Amino acid sequence: MDSLRRKPAPRRLPPLPQNKAILQNQSHQKSSSGSFSYSFSLPPQNPPIIPRTKIPRNKNKFPSIKKILSTVFLLLLLALCIGTSLIFWRIHKVSQNTFTQKPEKGIISETTQYLLGGSKDDRKPLRGEADGRINILLLGKAGKDYPGQNLTDTIIVASIDTKERKTALLSLPRDLYTRIPNTNTSTKLNAFYLYGQNDSDPFGVVRSAIEDITGLPIHYTVALDYDGFVRIIEALGGVNVTVERDFYDPAFPGPNYSYETFEIKKGFHTLDGATALKYVRERHNDPMGDFGRSARQQQVIQAIKNKAFTLETFLNPFTVYTLLGTIEANIRTDFSPEDIASILTLIQNVDTQNVSTYVVDAWRPDSLLRVSHIALENGQNMFVLIPRTGTYQEIREVASGIFSQDEQRARVQKIQEESPHVLLINTTGNPQLIENVRALLSDLGFENVTTAEPVDTAPLARTYVRKTSENAKPYSLDEVMKKIPASLSGESLDDLIPKKIPEDTDFTVLLGNDIIQNYLWEKGTVEDYLKESE
């Protein structure tokens, strides 16, 4: 019966743990009833590892700030590398197409030295710097697509006083009639740059002429055309100018021999490139004609300088790149790249805000030039400008003392205070000579000038001045000797002076043959000159 009893069902055990560490420590025991029991012992130091549920990443979550900054930095670094490469490439192109003198060390190395802030001792000394004055001839020419593309309507000598750290601008008119160096031919000054274009030194002819006129050594020359002028101002974002009067010109000359209307009102303006070009070229509607235009050219040059030499300009790579492109395409100069780096370093310590300016003109009684005319082969007259004394002495005095014009004004005041009486005696018999000399003295501020017939004698070869009065008037005497010009004479010429002359005569000037050529120019009027210039 016992064998027929039902055997108890086997006891179900719980599922075995899946942790390997636990399985390795399990033991099996067999009970008395024949069934198995399990016991488990956990590792004493390692707790059971509970698997983590993997949370899916949110694809729309923004990247971290660190990654954003890293990306921005890399992009900026890439842009800087590309921009620097383009700028240095442009600098290389400038060195090939702009400078008549090739770099000694290489334009890239010189520019890098300047940008890294080389000290004064590191830079190349500039011509004229050791003498205390650097003179730079600035020429503005029309350029292609304009009439007279190589005629220079802007002629300015820019000077830097390297000791006093001052700057000055001296403007010469384009119609100044002068001799072409090393020839017997004379023409207007604005054609001299054209004459030198076939020479190895394209600036040689005009540079020699300016040196003769001003008495200054010209150390460097820069020529800029109309399109380059426009592009420079556009790259700078315009220039700030105060216009002194209204202008309206319905026949302003444009490119390709066209005409257009130019109008601008009196007051403060920020001029774009095209408007600024018209402003510095306009002369038809200016009562001062070419002389007024010269003054406006100086005004805009100072405005460009104020805008260009700012930290904002140098830190803007787009502006720098555009300016370099303009330099390459529209500027020619005998500066070397090393000189450019040096002058940019030098000019940082120069006062460029207070600039001394002077326009050599002919429209006032005390102007240094006079209007004359030259007979042409077709029977017409060409109006030109010539020195009122027949020499460049007065222009040279202005050029030499342009940084201290107060001295010249004080000199004029002293002459007026001395109020001299000058007697003119013409030994040449040429009536035009004595009239022109008398007119000159009147323009110089000599109000008491009389004439007398000479004692019968042969013409003097030279012109002399004799002090008739013991009362010394040094400023007036020096002015007469310089401007006529004349040499001081002793008693040897007393026999040529009439016995009866005004008692208050201070100086007697005996005119000789040596100055005839200086004063035999045909007279013209400013009105005639301005009318022809229209």
Side-chain angles (χ1 to χ4, degrees):
M1 291 294 293
D2 291 336
S3 60
L4 297 175
R5 290 181 182 173
R6 298 181 61 185
K7 296 182 179 180
R11 184 181 176 183
R12 291 187 177 183
L13 297 177
L16 293 176
Q18 299 298 314
N19 191 297
K20 293 181 179 180
I22 297 177
L23 291 175
Q24 289 175 355
N25 291 281
Q26 64 185 347
S27 60
H28 308 279
Q29 296 179 359
K30 189 176 182 181
S31 66
S32 57
S33 61
S35 63
F36 289 91
S37 64
Y38 297 88
S39 64
F40 303 92
S41 62
L42 298 176
Q45 296 180 351
N46 297 325
I49 298 176
I50 302 174
R52 294 182 179 179
T53 304
K54 187 176 182 180
I55 302 175
R57 187 182 296 267
N58 186 358
K59 296 183 179 180
N60 295 325
K61 185 177 180 179
F62 290 104
S64 65
I65 297 297
K66 183 178 180 180
K67 288 188 175 182
I68 293 176
L69 294 177
S70 299
T71 302
V72 171
F73 174 76
L74 290 174
L75 290 175
L76 289 176
L77 182 61
L78 179 62
L80 178 62
C81 292
I82 294 174
T84 304
S85 299
L86 287 174
I87 287 176
F88 278 115
W89 173 79
R90 181 63 78 182
I91 291 172
H92 173 72
K93 295 289 288 182
V94 168
S95 71
Q96 298 299 313
N97 300 324
T98 297
F99 300 108
T100 59
Q101 297 187 33
K102 300 307 177 186
E104 297 175 4
K105 302 178 182 178
I107 182 67
I108 302 299
S109 62
E110 289 296 332
T111 306
T112 302
Q113 177 182 333
Y114 169 72
L115 293 175
L116 293 178
S119 67
K120 180 180 179 180
D121 295 334
D122 295 333
R123 66 179 180 84
K124 176 185 176 182
L126 294 160
R127 294 194 291 271
E129 187 173 359
D131 298 326
R133 179 169 178 174
I134 301 170
N135 301 308
I136 305 168
L137 176 59
L138 306 178
L139 302 173
K141 63 188 184 74
K144 61 181 181 179
D145 298 330
Y146 291 91
Q149 56 182 280
N150 281 318
L151 298 179
T152 55
D153 287 344
T154 300
I155 306 167
I156 298 175
V157 178
S159 297
I160 301 174
D161 185 333
T162 59
K163 296 179 179 179
E164 299 296 330
R165 305 297 183 184
K166 297 178 180 179
T167 54
L169 298 174
L170 173 68
S171 291
L172 297 172
R174 64 172 193 164
D175 292 332
L176 180 59
Y177 193 72
T178 189
R179 183 179 59 84
I180 302 173
N182 302 319
T183 71
N184 293 321
T185 304
S186 296
T187 188
K188 292 183 178 182
L189 189 57
N190 69 336
F192 281 42
Y193 177 72
L194 173 63
Y195 279 99
Q197 291 310 291
N198 294 327
D199 298 341
S200 58
D201 179 6
F203 303 118
V205 175
V206 64
R207 180 174 57 243
S208 296
I210 299 300
E211 288 179 338
D212 183 43
I213 293 168
T214 63
L216 300 174
I218 299 299
H219 302 110
Y220 301 99
T221 306
V222 179
L224 170 69
D225 63 27
Y226 290 165
D227 291 340
F229 180 86
V230 171
R231 292 175 63 186
I232 286 175
I233 292 179
E234 290 295 330
L236 295 174
V239 291
N240 298 325
V241 170
T242 299
V243 179
E244 299 296 335
R245 58 180 299 275
D246 293 345
F247 287 92
Y248 179 79
D249 183 2
F252 183 87
N256 298 316
Y257 302 90
S258 63
Y259 291 93
E260 54 193 42
T261 297
F262 169 61
E263 181 178 13
I264 191 170
K265 297 295 184 181
K266 177 180 179 180
F268 178 83
H269 296 269
T270 298
L271 304 181
D272 59 24
T275 305
L277 177 63
K278 294 175 182 178
Y279 180 67
V280 299
R281 292 184 62 201
E282 173 60 38
R283 60 192 174 92
H284 297 161
N285 193 228
D286 192 326
M288 295 166 56
D290 193 49
F291 315 124
R293 176 169 65 175
S294 296
R296 281 180 273 116
Q297 289 169 354
Q298 291 186 355
Q299 181 189 23
V300 173
I301 286 175
Q302 294 189 59
I304 293 174
K305 174 263 303 174
N306 292 339
K307 199 72 174 288
F309 290 99
T310 61
L311 189 61
E312 178 183 359
T313 297
F314 285 108
L315 290 181
N316 188 328
F318 178 78
T319 300
V320 173
Y321 182 81
T322 304
L323 289 174
L324 288 171
T326 300
I327 291 173
E328 177 200 351
N330 306 99
I331 293 180
R332 294 295 176 269
T333 181
D334 56 6
F335 271 104
S336 71
E338 294 86 359
D339 295 327
I340 292 290
S342 292
I343 202 165
L344 288 175
T345 302
L346 174 66
I347 208 168
Q348 294 177 18
N349 299 317
V350 172
D351 181 7
T352 57
Q353 298 299 320
N354 301 308
V355 181
S356 300
T357 62
Y358 194 97
V359 176
V360 180
D361 57 41
W363 71 283
R364 298 167 299 166
D366 61 345
S367 294
L368 306 186
L369 303 179
R370 289 291 177 264
V371 177
S372 184
H373 54 80
I374 305 297
L376 301 178
E377 295 180 356
N378 58 8
Q380 296 182 347
N381 291 325
M382 176 180 68
F383 284 90
V384 296
L385 302 173
I386 60 173
R388 64 179 179 178
T389 63
T391 70
Y392 299 128
Q393 178 62 34
E394 288 189 299
I395 298 178
R396 292 173 180 175
E397 289 178 2
V398 168
S400 175
I402 193 170
F403 293 107
S404 55
Q405 297 181 45
D406 290 341
E407 296 180 8
Q408 181 61 29
R409 286 188 282 266
R411 179 184 177 89
V412 173
Q413 181 64 31
K414 289 290 186 181
I415 294 174
Q416 292 177 348
E417 293 174 359
E418 289 179 351
S419 185
H421 181 185
V422 181
L423 174 66
L424 296 180
I425 297 177
N426 183 15
T427 70
T428 69
N430 188 308
Q432 185 178 353
L433 174 63
I434 194 168
E435 288 301 320
N436 287 346
V437 172
R438 183 172 185 172
L440 169 66
L441 293 176
S442 177
D443 292 339
L444 292 174
F446 289 80
E447 298 180 354
N448 193 359
V449 180
T450 57
T451 61
E453 292 295 325
V455 175
D456 188 15
T457 183
L460 292 175
R462 296 180 59 187
T463 299
Y464 295 95
V465 59
R466 174 84 170 96
K467 290 195 298 183
T468 310
S469 170
E470 296 298 329
N471 182 20
K473 296 184 177 181
Y475 289 96
S476 302
L477 177 61
D478 185 64
E479 190 78 349
V480 168
M481 293 175 61
K482 283 183 176 180
K483 299 299 174 68
I484 289 182
S487 301
L488 187 62
S489 171
E491 296 178 356
S492 60
L493 295 180
D494 285 354
D495 292 341
L496 303 181
I497 301 175
K499 300 299 182 180
K500 293 183 179 181
I501 61 173
E503 295 181 358
D504 61 345
T505 300
D506 295 299
F507 316 122
T508 299
V509 180
L510 296 102
L511 305 179
N513 288 333
D514 60 327
I515 65 170
I516 289 180
Q517 292 300 320
N518 296 345
Y519 289 91
L520 293 187
W521 39 269
E522 296 291 336
K523 289 184 178 181
T525 66
V526 174
E527 291 74 21
D528 291 337
Y529 172 73
L530 295 177
K531 183 177 180 180
E532 189 199 50
S533 301
E534 292 180 354

